[in-house]
């Protein structure tokens, strides 16, 4: 079984709809992250959480919100989807060693907003 | 400003033709430099973490090295299955966040 799972894997929606992307992990890591990937722009951090009670904004958090329901679950919401949120979305977990953490990524969700 | 630049953007090799991918970085205090492999439509797969200049890590045909300004991913005698996009990222001391480069897309032809 995959250590980091994301649902759904593909989603097509319309402008203005609310969307939730879910992430679950069995790695036992406290840290979890949400990224989006766009051609030519690379991976950009949306939100991150170092434990259940800790939520932090990344570089592109506008238009997104998150919920850390448990150590193993971290969901990303688009309250009112717009076309420029069409992208590949990745969840990641972080394994801490000293003052660094190595991040392990899920398989991604391809989101299309029409 | 913390920044990561990878070159070349794309690289085509014949099977068995060794080469290197470059990752140049500027960061205010390096906590770690990471290499990932990403296949089309899939999530990045962790390869290596390098923590200090002079460090080297190896895995099969891949070897990563680190200096104070750049990292190289050396690919020795590549095979078609090594075809993928290779991503470099740095973790800065001041923010702790990962900053990714744009990636190098490698194609190895049989």
């Amino acid at each position: 079984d995959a250590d980091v799972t994301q649902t759904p894997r593909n989603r097509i929606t319309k402008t203005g709809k609310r969307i939730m992307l879910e992430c679950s992990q069995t790695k036992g890591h406290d840290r979890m992250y949400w990224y989006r990937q766009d051609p030519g722009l690379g991976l950009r951090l949306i939100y991150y959480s170092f434990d259940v009670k800790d939520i932090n904004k990344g570089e592109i958090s506008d238009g997104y919100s998150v919920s850390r329901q448990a150590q193993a679950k971290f969901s990303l919401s688009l309250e009112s989807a717009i076309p420029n949120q069409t992208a590949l979305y990745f969840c990641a977990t972080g394994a801490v060693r000293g003052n660094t953490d190595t991040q392990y990524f899920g398989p991604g969700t391809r989101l299309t907003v029409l | 400003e913390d920044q990561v630049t990878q070159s070349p953007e794309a690289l085509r090799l014949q099977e068995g033709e060794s080469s290197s991918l470059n990752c140049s970085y500027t960061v205010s205090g390096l906590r770690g430099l990471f290499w990932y492999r990403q296949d089309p439509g899939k999530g990045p797969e962790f390869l290596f973490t390098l923590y200090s200049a002079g460090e080297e890590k190896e895995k099969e045909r891949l070897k990563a090295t680190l200096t104070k300004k750049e990292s190289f991913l050396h690919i020795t005698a590549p095979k078609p299955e090594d075809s993928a996009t290779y991503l470099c990222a740095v973790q800065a001391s001041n923010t702790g966040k990962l900053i990714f480069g744009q990636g190098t897309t490698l194609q190895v032809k049989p």
Side-chain angles (χ1 to χ4, degrees):
Chain A
D1 288 340
D3 295 319
V4 183
T5 57
Q6 293 184 234
T7 56
R9 295 296 315 280
N10 288 282
R11 182 72 184 265
I12 300 173
T13 190
K14 294 183 179 180
T15 297
K17 294 291 187 182
R18 185 177 188 274
I19 292 293
M20 180 180 284
L21 309 182
E22 298 186 336
C23 177
S24 295
Q25 54 119 342
T26 58
K27 298 182 82 68
H29 296 158
D30 287 327
R31 297 185 177 191
M32 296 188 75
Y33 303 82
W34 275 104
Y35 290 87
R36 67 178 278 176
Q37 188 175 41
D38 300 272
L41 294 178
L43 279 157
R44 293 181 292 165
L45 183 64
I46 307 172
Y47 269 96
Y48 61 103
S49 169
F50 284 175
D51 64 43
V52 175
K53 295 182 180 180
D54 176 74
I55 301 287
N56 303 282
K57 293 182 177 181
E59 60 179 304
I60 53 161
S61 59
D62 288 348
Y64 302 95
S65 62
V66 291
S67 174
R68 185 82 184 265
Q69 299 96 326
Q71 186 211 34
K73 295 185 182 293
F74 192 35
S75 60
L76 176 72
S77 293
L78 287 66
E79 296 301 325
S80 179
I82 56 177
N84 76 0
Q85 291 177 315
T86 294
L88 259 177
Y89 289 84
F90 291 104
C91 172
T93 69
V96 177
R97 169 189 159 173
N99 65 348
T100 64
D101 70 323
T102 297
Q103 295 183 20
Y104 297 89
F105 287 79
T109 294
R110 184 173 294 279
L111 177 66
T112 303
V113 183
L114 301 176
Chain B
E1 182 184 351
D2 299 332
Q3 194 169 343
V4 177
T5 303
Q6 292 187 246
S7 61
E9 288 186 16
L11 182 62
R12 284 186 176 184
L13 300 173
Q14 288 295 128
E15 184 172 1
E17 180 186 4
S18 302
S19 189
S20 297
L21 281 55
N22 177 263
C23 171
S24 297
Y25 64 91
T26 53
V27 66
S28 51
L30 180 70
R31 286 192 189 179
L33 185 141
F34 304 83
W35 281 99
Y36 288 86
R37 169 192 170 126
Q38 186 174 24
D39 293 299
K42 296 190 176 182
E45 174 190 347
F46 171 72
L47 293 173
F48 305 108
T49 308
L50 301 167
Y51 295 98
S52 58
E55 189 174 1
E56 299 181 351
K57 294 266 179 84
E58 286 188 65
K59 180 180 180 179
E60 296 180 355
R61 294 176 292 281
L62 301 176
K63 179 180 177 179
T65 61
L66 180 64
T67 72
K68 289 186 177 180
K69 293 184 177 181
E70 58 191 350
S71 176
F72 291 94
L73 185 65
H74 306 278
I75 303 176
T76 301
K79 298 182 178 182
E81 53 262 42
D82 294 322
S83 298
T85 295
Y86 291 86
L87 301 173
C88 170
V90 297
Q91 190 170 41
S93 292
N94 57 344
T95 66
K97 298 173 189 175
L98 278 190
I99 303 158
F100 282 86
Q102 300 297 314
T104 293
T105 299
L106 172 66
Q107 184 180 24
V108 182
K109 295 199 166 186

